Amino acid sequence: MNIKSTILIFVVIVLSRLTLIGGEGMWIPMLLQQMNEKEMQEMGMKITAEDIYSINHSSLKDAILLFGRGCTSEIISKDGLLLTNHHCGYSRIQKHSTVDHDYLTDGFWAMNKAEELPNPGLTASLLIEMKEVTDSVLAGVDENMTMKERQNAIRNNVKRITSNFESDSKYKAAIKPFFQGNEYYMMITEVFKDIRLVGAPPSNIGKFGGDTDNWMWPRHTGDFSLFRIYVDKDGNPAEYSEDNVPYHPKYYFSISLDGVQEDDFTFVFGYPARTNEYMPSYAIELITEIGNPKKIELREKRLEIFNKYSSKDPKVRLQYASKHARVSNYWKKMIGESGGIKRMKGIKAKQNFENEFKSWAVSSGNTQYASLLPEFERVYKELTPISVASNYIMEAGMAIEIIKFANSFRKLVALSKANPINEDAIREEITKLKRSTHGFFKDYYKPIDEEVMIDMLRLYDKNISTEFKPSFFNTIDAKYKDDYKAYANYVFTKSIFDKEDKLMSFLDNYKPKWYKKLLKDPAYIMGMDMGVLYNSKFGKKMTTYYNAIDSLQRIYMKAQMEMNPDMRFYPDANFTLRVSYGNASGYSPKDAVYYKHYTTLEGIMEKEDPNIYDYVVTDRLSELYNNRDYGAYADKDGTLHVGFAASNHTTGGNSGSPVLNADGQLIGVNFDRCWEGTMSDLMYDSTICRNISIDIRYFLFIVDKYAGAGYLLEEMKLVKSE
C-alpha cells in the first residue's frame, strides 16, 4: 500500500468515518446477511451468513459459549469438549493447585473422563437466539423525561419482557442496549453449570513469556485450557453430579490442519466486552492523558512489590499468581492504549471530526445537536478532578487487601445494629464470612499487603488534594507525622483482619454487640472512611455526570448516524456475541521494522533462559524440538507454528474466541492484541491493530505429542486439504 492510499484510508476512517475497511468492526451476527456477507465473501469467505448464525438449523453460533463471566469458549468435539485460553481457566487451575499438586507449574491432564475436575460456580452460556426488542423496551419513553424517569421506564419494560419470556421457557433472557441506547436486543441463552477441567499445559507453555510478553508481538504463548460441559441424562443443564453425562452439542468446530497464510481471510466469533468508538475528544483526553498515566503509576508500584516477594518464595508466587496477572494485564494495556492514541494523533483526529459535526449540526437546524459538543466539554471538565480522585480510591485505597476484605464485613455490622435483630440473618452472614475468610487467607501474604499500604498511602497523599482525602489521613498527619510505615505497622498490629485464626475465633464466638469492636478496628475504619468520602464527594456527583454523559452520548450517536446515513455503523462491544473479520497479516510497529504474521517453536528456543521464569522451557518441549518431532502438526515449511496475528477487531472478552478460516473451520484461539494497537477500544487503525492467536496446530501438538493425551483428538474432527 502506498503512502497516498494509507493517508486516504486514515482520513476516511478517523475523520469522516463514512466507510469502513476490512478489520474494523464488531458486528451483530443476526445482521450479517444484510450488512456484511457480501464484503466478507469478497474478502475470501466461502460460507454464508446463515452458516454463521441461524435459528432454523445448527450453525457456528451453536458452538460458541460465554465462559464464566469474562471469556469466550468454543466446543470442539462431539462430547462437549470446551476450548478456551489458559488465562481464562487460570483461576480454576489455581484453585485445584497445591504445593504438592502444582497444576499451574506442572500442568494437568485428565487421562479419562473420571479424572476430570469439577468447578463449582463456573458456568458456560450458549446463545440460542437474538431478538431486537427496541420498540417494546422504549414503549412509553419520550424525550421529555428526566434521565431517572427514562431509566425507570426502560428498567420496568425490560423486567416485564424478560419475565414474560422466562415464565414460558427453560432458557434465560437478558436485554442489552446497542448504539448507546438507541436500539435494544434480547439475548436468549442456555446456561450450563457443570463445567469440568480436562487439561491445561504447564505455565511454561500456557503463560510462556508471562508478563514480559503480555500484549506483545511476536508471541510464543500456548494460551489454552480444556474443559468439558456436562448435563443431566436428559441433556439439560444441571449442577454437578456424578450421574451427569458429557454434552452432545448441535454443532462443534472442525479443526483445520492447513495453517494460516499471509492475507488469508480470518474471522473471530466471540464475546467482546467493552469498546467506546464513538466518544468525543474530551473523553479520549481524560482516559489517555489524565486517567491512564495515574493508574499506570499505582499499578507499577504494586507489581514491583509483588515481584519482590514472589521471586523469593514459591508459595507466595502461587498465592499471588492470579492477582499479579490481573494487575499487570490492564497496566500494560493502558500504556499501549495511551501510546497508540498519541501515535495516531487520535485526539486531534476526533477534534477534526467534531469541527465537521458542528458545521453539520448548525446546518441541520437541530439545536439539540448543535449544543452537544459544548455540553460534553462542560461535563468532562467538571468530571475530571472527581474521576481522578475516585480512581485513587479504587486503585490505591482498595488495592490494600486488608482494607478491601474488612469492607466485606459492613453487612454484618448493619445486621448487628438493626432493631430488632435478625439472628438467622446474622448466622447466615457469618457462615458466608467464614468461607470468604478461608479463601482470603489462602492467597494472602501480609508483608506484601503492608508494603502496598505504605506506598499506596504515600502516592495518594502526594497526588490528591485534601478535599478528596479520607479522614484517616488526618490521623497519619497529626499522630504519625506522615510516617506511612509507622501508621501501616499500627494498622496491621491492631487489626483483627491480619490473621486467619484470630478472625475465625471472632466469628465462631460472635455476638451482635461485638460490631462495636469492628467499628474500632483500624482496617475497618480505613474502609469506612473511604466509603464515607466516596458517598459524600464522588458517588452522587459521578452518577449525575455519567448519566449526563450517557444521555449526551445517546443523542450524539443518533446524530452521527443521521450525519452519515450511508455508513455501516457497528455497535460498541457490550459482552454480546459478535463477528469481527479481517486478514492474517504482519505489521510495521516503527520505522524499518516489520513483523511477519506468524511465530514458530524456534522462537521459543531463541527466548529460552533458565534464569528468567517467563522464559523457562520444559525438558519435554526441548526434546520434541531437538528431534523435530512435530507429527501431523508441522507447517508445510517443516516448522511448528505457535501463533499468528491478524487484523480482526477484538477486545477483552474475546479471550478464548475461535479464530476461523474462510470455510468456518477452527484455525486458532484468540488470546491477546499487539501492544501498539490496544487503542482499538477507542479508535481503530488497520495498519497496526492486530489480534494475536495460538495456532490450532500448536494446541494439538501440545495435547498429543507433549502431554500424551492424544485420546482427546479421537472425539475431534480434524480436516486437511489435499
Side-chain angles (χ1 to χ4, degrees):
M1 184 179 295
N2 60 41
I3 295 175
K4 185 176 180 181
S5 299
T6 302
I7 293 172
L8 177 60
I9 289 172
F10 180 81
V11 170
V12 170
I13 292 174
V14 179
L15 303 186
S16 68
R17 298 187 66 88
L18 291 174
T19 61
L20 292 165
I21 68 169
E24 182 175 6
M26 299 177 177
W27 303 97
I28 300 174
M30 65 176 289
L31 301 179
L32 288 178
Q33 189 170 33
Q34 62 199 70
M35 295 192 70
N36 309 98
E37 184 181 61
K38 184 174 183 294
E39 181 183 59
M40 293 172 78
Q41 290 177 340
E42 288 174 349
M43 292 175 65
M45 187 176 75
K46 298 176 183 178
I47 58 176
T48 67
E50 183 77 2
D51 294 323
I52 297 172
Y53 177 94
S54 178
I55 60 172
N56 299 314
H57 57 77
S58 64
S59 59
L60 270 60
K61 80 161 177 70
D62 297 316
I64 300 170
L65 296 93
L66 179 65
F67 185 83
R69 297 180 181 178
C71 286
T72 304
S73 58
E74 53 274 1
I75 303 173
I76 59 169
S77 86
K78 58 184 177 60
D79 289 334
L81 201 58
L82 205 60
L83 178 60
T84 189
N85 287 156
H86 184 268
H87 75 260
C88 293
Y90 199 79
S91 63
R92 299 291 167 172
I93 303 166
Q94 182 189 36
K95 287 183 184 299
H96 290 296
S97 295
T98 64
V99 173
D100 294 330
H101 298 284
D102 187 354
Y103 297 141
L104 280 180
T105 299
D106 302 328
F108 169 80
W109 302 98
M111 290 304 169
N112 53 64
K113 291 183 178 65
E115 294 181 357
E116 296 172 359
L117 302 177
N119 298 278
L122 177 61
T123 61
S125 304
L126 175 69
L127 179 70
I128 303 300
E129 187 180 359
M130 192 175 183
K131 292 183 176 180
E132 187 182 359
V133 290
T134 305
D135 290 345
S136 298
V137 170
L138 297 181
V141 176
D142 62 63
E143 294 300 323
N144 296 319
M145 286 180 165
T146 65
M147 188 64 175
K148 187 175 181 180
E149 290 171 338
R150 180 184 179 90
Q151 288 174 337
N152 287 338
I154 290 173
R155 189 180 299 111
N156 290 334
N157 285 341
V158 166
K159 185 178 180 180
R160 172 180 53 79
I161 297 165
T162 55
S163 296
N164 288 343
F165 174 84
E166 290 180 346
S167 65
D168 291 324
S169 175
K170 66 177 183 177
Y171 301 125
K172 296 290 183 181
I175 295 174
K176 291 196 175 185
F178 289 68
F179 298 109
Q180 279 69 46
N182 286 288
E183 294 180 12
Y184 288 84
Y185 289 80
M186 181 165 70
M187 267 56 64
I188 300 166
T189 60
E190 187 169 29
V191 182
F192 299 97
K193 301 176 182 180
D194 185 356
I195 313 297
R196 304 182 194 180
L197 177 63
V198 176
S203 289
N204 294 136
I205 291 174
K207 206 172 181 288
F208 183 82
D211 296 319
T212 308
D213 285 3
N214 191 27
W215 299 105
M216 305 300 285
W217 183 259
R219 198 66 169 276
H220 301 86
T221 312
D223 196 349
F224 76 90
S225 56
L226 281 168
F227 293 77
R228 192 185 304 277
I229 303 171
Y230 281 78
V231 292
D232 67 22
K233 291 182 178 180
D234 296 321
N236 298 312
E239 298 288 350
Y240 170 79
S241 169
E242 290 183 359
D243 296 327
N244 287 347
V245 297
Y247 172 63
H248 297 303
K250 294 178 183 177
Y251 189 92
Y252 64 94
F253 285 112
S254 299
I255 299 175
S256 173
L257 295 173
D258 290 339
V260 186
Q261 305 302 313
E262 183 85 16
D263 295 325
D264 277 358
F265 175 80
T266 61
F267 67 106
V268 173
F269 205 178
Y271 285 88
R274 185 171 177 81
T275 58
N276 289 286
E277 305 288 343
Y278 305 102
M279 293 193 301
S281 60
Y282 316 106
I284 305 298
E285 185 175 14
L286 174 57
I287 293 169
T288 63
E289 295 196 356
I290 300 172
N292 281 357
K294 296 184 182 301
K295 288 187 282 189
I296 288 166
E297 180 185 25
L298 293 169
R299 291 196 172 211
E300 203 162 71
K301 178 54 66 175
R302 289 166 66 191
L303 290 169
E304 181 184 310
I305 296 167
F306 287 0
N307 291 333
K308 173 183 170 182
Y309 289 93
S310 295
S311 63
K312 297 176 182 177
D313 189 331
K315 183 180 178 182
V316 175
R317 179 181 59 78
L318 271 177
Q319 288 176 311
Y320 277 76
S322 186
K323 296 174 187 177
H324 189 287
R326 286 197 299 270
V327 175
S328 172
N329 187 54
Y330 201 65
W331 163 76
K332 204 165 187 177
K333 189 261 188 182
M334 287 186 291
I335 296 173
E337 182 176 72
S338 290
I341 291 294
K342 183 179 181 179
R343 183 176 54 253
M344 67 184 296
K345 297 180 174 60
I347 294 173
K348 181 63 176 176
K350 285 281 186 178
Q351 291 169 342
N352 289 342
F353 170 75
E354 286 161 8
N355 289 333
E356 295 180 15
F357 179 85
K358 289 175 185 176
S359 299
W360 172 83
V362 170
S363 67
S364 73
N366 190 318
T367 56
Q368 187 182 41
Y369 292 170
S371 65
L372 277 172
L373 289 170
E375 189 63 9
F376 266 130
E377 183 177 18
R378 180 190 69 80
V379 171
Y380 276 105
K381 184 177 181 180
E382 294 177 10
L383 173 64
T384 294
I386 300 171
S387 175
V388 171
S390 175
N391 283 336
Y392 269 79
I393 286 284
M394 302 309 298
E395 293 282 342
M398 289 301 165
I400 304 166
E401 295 176 81
I402 194 175
I403 296 176
K404 188 175 182 179
F405 182 54
N407 229 28
S408 68
F409 280 65
R410 291 172 64 180
K411 184 177 179 179
L412 178 62
V413 170
L415 290 170
S416 301
K417 291 169 66 177
N419 188 16
I421 288 177
N422 187 331
E423 295 283 356
D424 290 339
I426 288 177
R427 279 195 296 271
E428 184 179 346
E429 183 64 16
I430 287 174
T431 300
K432 291 179 182 177
L433 289 172
K434 283 182 178 180
R435 285 198 300 267
S436 65
T437 295
H438 178 70
F440 174 78
F441 283 101
K442 178 179 180 293
D443 295 323
Y444 180 72
Y445 189 60
K446 178 179 171 180
I448 286 180
D449 203 29
E450 189 165 359
E451 194 164 334
V452 166
M453 177 182 285
I454 294 167
D455 282 334
M456 293 299 102
L457 293 180
R458 181 182 291 114
L459 288 168
Y460 197 121
D461 200 17
K462 174 187 174 184
N463 295 318
I464 301 298
S465 65
T466 302
E467 178 188 4
F468 296 124
K469 289 177 183 175
S471 57
F472 61 76
F473 275 102
N474 296 329
T475 303
I476 297 174
D477 181 36
K479 189 173 180 179
Y480 294 91
K481 309 302 180 185
D482 292 335
D483 187 337
Y484 309 102
K485 186 175 182 180
Y487 180 73
N489 182 65
Y490 155 72
V491 173
F492 280 89
T493 301
K494 297 295 184 181
S495 177
I496 197 175
F497 294 99
D498 76 322
K499 289 186 175 65
E500 183 174 6
D501 57 351
K502 186 165 57 177
L503 186 55
M504 290 298 284
S505 177
F506 177 81
L507 291 171
D508 284 337
N509 301 287
Y510 186 78
K511 297 177 178 57
K513 64 182 180 181
W514 286 9
Y515 80 87
K516 295 178 182 179
K517 295 182 180 180
L518 294 173
L519 294 179
K520 296 177 181 178
D521 186 281
Y524 189 88
I525 290 171
M526 291 180 75
M528 193 165 52
D529 285 353
M530 282 189 277
V532 169
L533 174 69
Y534 190 90
N535 291 332
S536 63
K537 296 288 187 178
F538 305 143
K540 290 183 180 179
K541 288 184 179 180
M542 290 184 71
T543 299
T544 299
Y545 285 125
Y546 283 125
N547 281 343
I549 289 169
D550 287 346
S551 181
L552 291 169
Q553 197 65 51
R554 174 175 56 82
I555 300 167
Y556 189 42
M557 186 78 251
K558 182 181 178 184
Q560 290 180 73
M561 296 171 84
E562 289 182 16
M563 177 181 172
N564 297 314
D566 296 327
M567 177 178 168
R568 291 179 302 148
F569 285 85
Y570 60 91
D572 277 318
N574 60 356
F575 257 131
T576 57
L577 193 60
R578 304 289 183 90
V579 173
S580 302
Y581 54 93
N583 304 93
S585 176
Y587 69 101
S588 178
K590 54 187 176 182
D591 183 47
V593 176
Y594 182 79
Y595 293 143
K596 62 185 181 183
H597 77 282
Y598 69 93
T599 59
T600 69
L601 186 55
E602 275 78 1
I604 292 177
M605 307 314 296
E606 290 170 357
K607 288 181 175 179
E608 181 182 15
D609 189 334
N611 299 312
I612 301 176
Y613 180 77
D614 287 346
Y615 298 125
V616 173
V617 177
T618 67
D619 291 341
R620 176 58 178 161
L621 189 60
S622 293
E623 179 188 359
L624 290 165
Y625 169 75
N626 291 330
N627 294 331
R628 302 300 191 269
D629 187 7
Y630 305 152
Y633 316 115
D635 193 73
K636 60 184 178 181
D637 63 7
T639 64
L640 181 67
H641 288 205
V642 173
F644 64 90
S647 62
N648 304 295
H649 194 174
T650 61
T651 186
N654 275 125
S655 290
S657 295
V659 186
L660 307 164
N661 64 13
D663 295 304
Q665 300 163 340
L666 189 64
I667 55 173
V669 184
N670 183 83
F671 70 90
D672 207 353
R673 286 174 286 166
C674 74
W675 187 60
E676 299 89 352
T678 53
M679 76 289 183
S680 60
D681 287 349
L682 306 174
M683 300 178 72
Y684 182 89
D685 179 0
S686 65
T687 65
I688 204 159
C689 291
R690 295 291 181 271
N691 67 302
I692 301 172
S693 307
I694 176 176
D695 191 302
I696 202 65
R697 296 170 298 175
Y698 186 57
F699 152 73
L700 295 169
F701 164 80
I702 295 297
V703 172
D704 186 7
K705 291 288 187 175
Y706 181 92
Y711 80 96
L712 291 168
L713 275 62
E714 295 173 6
E715 56 186 275
M716 305 177 194
K717 184 179 180 181
L718 308 183
V719 295
K720 187 175 179 64
S721 303
E722 296 297 330

